[in-house]
Structures are given as C-alpha cells and as structure tokens.
Amino acid sequence: MTNRWNRLLAAPLLALLALLAFAGPASASGESVGSCMAEKLEELIEESHGDLEEVLHELHVDTSIGDHFEKNCIEAPSPILPETNEIIWGGSAFLILFVLMVKKGFPAVRGAMDARAEKIRSDLDAAEQARVDAQSVQSDYEARLADAKTEASQLIDEARVAADQLKGDLAESAEVDIAEMRERAAVDIESSRAQAIADLRSEVAGIALGAAERVVHASLDAEVQSRLIDAYIDEVAGTDG
Amino acid sequence: MADSRVAGYAEALFAVAAAEGDPSAVEDELFRFAQALRSDKDLGSTLADTGLPLARRLQVIEDLLGSRVSAVTTALVSMVVGAGRAAELPDIVDAMVERGAASRNKTVATVRSAVDLTADQSERLAAAINTRTGRDVEVRVVIDPSVLGGVVTEIGDDIIDGSVRRRLNQLRESFR
C-alpha cells in the first residue's frame, strides 16, 4: 500500500521535472522585446555618459553589441522555469486533478482493474479447471480405451479358445458318430445277412415243403386216407403200440 | 343278448326236431349245412341279404336241401332264414347240436378230416375218445381239405391233432 502511494506521489514530481527540463524558450511575461532593447540601450547610454552618438557608433562598429541586445531581449531570461503564475495555475489544476483522480478516478480504475484481474483470474481458474477436466476426461477415455482394448483382446482370446474347443468337440463328436455309424452299419449288415439267410432257408423250406405237400397230396388216395384215419383212431385209443 | 338269442333259437330247433321223432338225424343234417355255410361265404351272405326277397332266399334253400335232407331240416333252416337270422345259423346249429348231445348225456366231438369217416370209423373214434378222455361223445364230421390227411378232433377246448397238415407244419418249423 505504501509502495503504491509512493508511486502516486512520484508521478507528479516526475511530471514537474519533465516540465522544467523540456520547457521551451518563452518570452518575458509582461515585457516586450522593444522595451527590453530600450532598457539595454539606456544602460549603454548611461555607460557612455549620455553620448548617443558614441553608442550608435559602437553599435555600428561592434555588431556583437547588437547581437547581445537581441540575445538578452528576444530570449527568455530562464529557459527552464515558467512564470510564477503559470506554476501556480498549473500546480493548482494539477493538484485538483490529482485529488479528483485519487478520490474518484483511482478507486474506479482500481475497482475496474480488480474486477478485470478477478475476471482474468476466474477465467484462468476456469480454464485450468477445464484443462484439468479435459485431462481427466482424456485420462478416463484413455483408460476406457485401454480397458476396451483389453476386453476386446480377452474376448478374442476367449472366442479363439471356444472355437478351438468347439472344433475339438466337433471332431470328437464326429469320430464318435462315425464309430457309431460303423457299428450300426456292421449290425445292419449282420442283421441283413441273417435275415437273408433266414429268408433263403424259409424259401428253400417252402419250396421243399410245397413239393412234399404235392407229393403227399398226390399219394393220399382213399385207401391211404382210410389208413391214416384208422391210425389216428388207434393213436387216440392208445393202442398203436 | 346274442348268446341268449342263439340259445333260444337252438332250444327251439331242438324241440321241433325232438317233436318230429329223430332229433339226431336232424342235428346231423343241420350240422352239415352249417359247415357248408361256414365254408361258402357267398351262400351265407346270400341267405343273410335282406335286400333279396324272402321267397328268393327260401327258394335257394329249397333248391339246396329239398331232395337231400328231411323236410324238418329244410323247414327249420327256412324258419331261421325267414326270421332274419341266417348269419347266426351256424352258431345256432352248433348250440342245438350241443343241446341234443347234452340231452343224451354226451359231448360233441367235432372231427375235421379231408374225407368223410365211415360209420365204423366214427364209432371206433368215439370209443377211442371215451377211452382216452373218459367222456362219452357224439362225433360230428367236418370235411376240411386243408387237413390233407388224418383227423383233427375238437372236444370243447381240447384238440387232438393227427393231421398231415400238422406234420407238415412241424417239418416247416424244423427248417427254421
């Protein structure tokens, strides 16, 4: 706070020094060039004891005297310091302006600057927060991406293992099926062979029996039939021996 | 219901045959006609066909039996056919034969043979069955060519098979 007041007080002093240092030549206030030169000329006449002719002659012979007049009358007596009234008015105006600035302008400017600084700080904080959030999101995204990649790799591995397992199971099942089919085929072949043999045997038996039946039927005349009946009667009676 | 009806008709037929004096002969003729109905499906269906006029069916009976059997037998068959029970006639006759045998304290022995048995053979067979089973039987012969030769006797649920067909079947089984 003190440093700030020091800087505030140094500012008008520096301005005053600059004004004194860079002030341009100014004509004498309230004094014309003619009156100045007349005053100088009177001083020369007094030095020449009232001899005007001698003075003019010297001015005509010695041009440096004229230059001296011009130099002392045309140029301001002080090239640095302004006139006193200018200093008073200027200083008063400066003080008034300074007081106004200290009392009114500076608090407003300081409030605006503080608000601006606060806003910038808030924006910086928000930007930092946004950056942190973005970084968090990026980290989260990268983590999720890494998880996704890991999960995808795991799924691929599992799918590969499952495919290998399925392939093995299918191959094993196929072998079992083939073995069962071979076994069934063997059983079917054996059954068909047995059935064919049975059919052939039945067919042969049928043919043989048909032939035997025809022979028997041809041989069963009335006498044979009667003897068969008699033999049956004896068999039923239990007297056939 | 069907059994009681068959028994009723059998009792009626037996009563008529007995009233006419020779039930055994009538039973024998009816038995042979019943076997003919069993073996000839067309004859059985013709007599049972109610779409045919009754006079036509009775004429068929008269043509078949008129000169071959007694008038009582023809009249009994005509009575059963006229009553619309031609399809049940074989069962009625079987029941009547059983009823007649029972009235004589005997059992019916149905004998299947490819040829008819002589009276002597029938008597000796009845005696042989009596000897074997202890039952007094009346032999009813059924001509069955499928027997080929020999005899198959059925007495109730008992069967005494001495046919050539059985021996051929045994031979067929031995081939298997």
Side-chain angles (χ1 to χ4, degrees):
Chain A
M1 192 66 181
T2 305
N3 192 21
R4 182 176 297 173
W5 277 108
N6 290 336
R7 282 182 296 184
L8 287 173
L9 292 174
L13 291 177
L14 288 174
L16 180 60
L17 288 175
L19 181 62
L20 294 175
F22 298 104
S27 57
S29 175
E31 188 178 23
S32 65
V33 175
S35 61
C36 178
M37 289 184 70
E39 187 176 352
K40 293 299 182 182
L41 187 56
E42 287 177 356
E43 288 177 358
L44 286 175
I45 292 170
E46 287 179 357
E47 286 177 359
S48 297
H49 305 289
D51 189 357
L52 184 60
E53 291 294 333
E54 187 180 355
V55 171
L56 293 174
H57 180 69
E58 286 179 2
L59 288 174
H60 183 71
V61 174
D62 190 358
T63 59
S64 61
I65 297 172
D67 295 337
H68 179 72
F69 284 179
E70 293 177 357
K71 184 177 180 182
N72 288 331
C73 293
I74 294 173
E75 293 179 357
S78 174
I80 298 173
L81 293 174
E83 293 297 328
T84 303
N85 58 349
E86 289 183 358
I87 292 174
I88 292 170
W89 286 108
S92 301
F94 175 78
L95 287 175
I96 293 168
L97 183 60
F98 178 75
V99 170
L100 288 174
M101 286 296 292
V102 169
K103 295 295 185 183
K104 301 294 182 182
F106 179 71
V109 172
R110 187 178 59 181
M113 291 296 290
D114 290 343
R116 179 67 177 168
E118 186 64 27
K119 184 176 183 305
I120 290 172
R121 189 178 298 108
S122 175
D123 291 344
L124 287 175
D125 292 341
E128 179 64 17
Q129 185 61 38
R131 190 186 66 78
V132 171
D133 292 343
Q135 193 169 7
S136 175
V137 170
Q138 183 182 4
S139 299
D140 183 58
Y141 172 74
E142 288 176 350
R144 291 168 63 182
L145 183 61
D147 291 342
K149 286 181 178 177
T150 302
E151 188 175 359
S153 176
Q154 187 176 358
L155 288 174
I156 291 171
D157 292 341
E158 291 177 355
R160 186 177 293 113
V161 171
D164 292 341
Q165 181 68 30
L166 180 61
K167 185 171 68 176
D169 292 343
L170 289 175
E172 186 177 355
S173 175
E175 290 178 358
V176 172
D177 291 342
I178 289 171
E180 290 180 353
M181 290 173 65
R182 284 177 177 168
E183 187 175 353
R184 283 200 299 271
V187 171
D188 291 342
I189 290 171
E190 180 61 26
S191 176
S192 298
R193 190 179 70 85
Q195 184 63 41
I197 291 173
D199 292 344
L200 181 60
R201 181 178 296 170
S202 176
E203 187 70 19
V204 171
I207 293 171
L209 288 171
E213 187 173 329
R214 285 192 293 274
V215 171
V216 168
H217 194 269
S219 63
L220 288 176
D221 55 12
E223 183 181 353
V224 174
Q225 290 281 11
S226 181
R227 281 195 282 117
L228 286 172
I229 293 171
D230 291 338
Y232 174 80
I233 294 170
D234 294 339
E235 182 180 354
V236 171
T239 60
D240 57 341
Chain B
M1 183 64 185
D3 290 344
S4 63
R5 184 166 55 231
V6 167
Y9 274 93
E11 189 67 28
L13 264 57
F14 174 74
V16 171
E20 292 296 331
D22 191 3
S24 180
V26 174
E27 290 169 15
D28 188 62
E29 292 171 353
L30 286 174
F31 185 80
R32 292 177 184 275
F33 182 70
Q35 299 309 316
L37 282 179
R38 283 195 169 98
S39 61
D40 190 344
K41 301 299 180 185
D42 290 339
L43 176 60
S45 61
T46 298
L47 297 180
D49 186 3
T50 55
L52 289 176
L54 179 58
R56 178 77 180 104
R57 284 180 281 158
L58 295 178
Q59 185 60 47
V60 170
I61 295 170
E62 182 64 26
D63 292 343
L64 286 174
L65 302 178
S67 60
R68 295 185 178 86
V69 299
S70 64
V72 175
T73 300
T74 303
L76 291 175
V77 172
S78 298
M79 186 270 287
V80 173
V81 173
R85 301 299 174 189
E88 300 170 71
L89 181 58
D91 294 336
I92 292 171
V93 171
D94 288 345
M96 177 208 176
V97 171
E98 292 282 352
R99 172 67 179 83
S103 69
R104 293 182 290 273
N105 295 321
K106 292 184 178 180
T107 302
V108 176
T110 303
V111 175
R112 298 184 179 278
S113 174
V115 297
D116 199 359
L117 273 63
T118 63
D120 177 63
Q121 286 174 330
S122 294
E123 291 177 2
R124 285 194 293 120
L125 180 58
I129 293 171
N130 187 19
T131 302
R132 179 164 178 163
T133 64
R135 286 187 287 186
D136 198 3
V137 298
E138 290 184 359
V139 174
R140 300 295 179 186
V141 179
V142 176
I143 306 301
D144 186 359
S146 67
V147 175
L148 291 179
V151 175
V152 179
T153 302
E154 300 174 8
I155 310 168
D157 295 333
D158 297 331
I159 297 176
I160 304 172
D161 192 348
S163 65
V164 175
R165 170 64 59 194
R166 180 180 69 88
R167 292 176 183 176
L168 285 174
N169 289 337
Q170 289 175 341
L171 184 61
R172 187 188 306 274
E173 290 298 323
S174 68
F175 279 128
R176 294 180 179 176

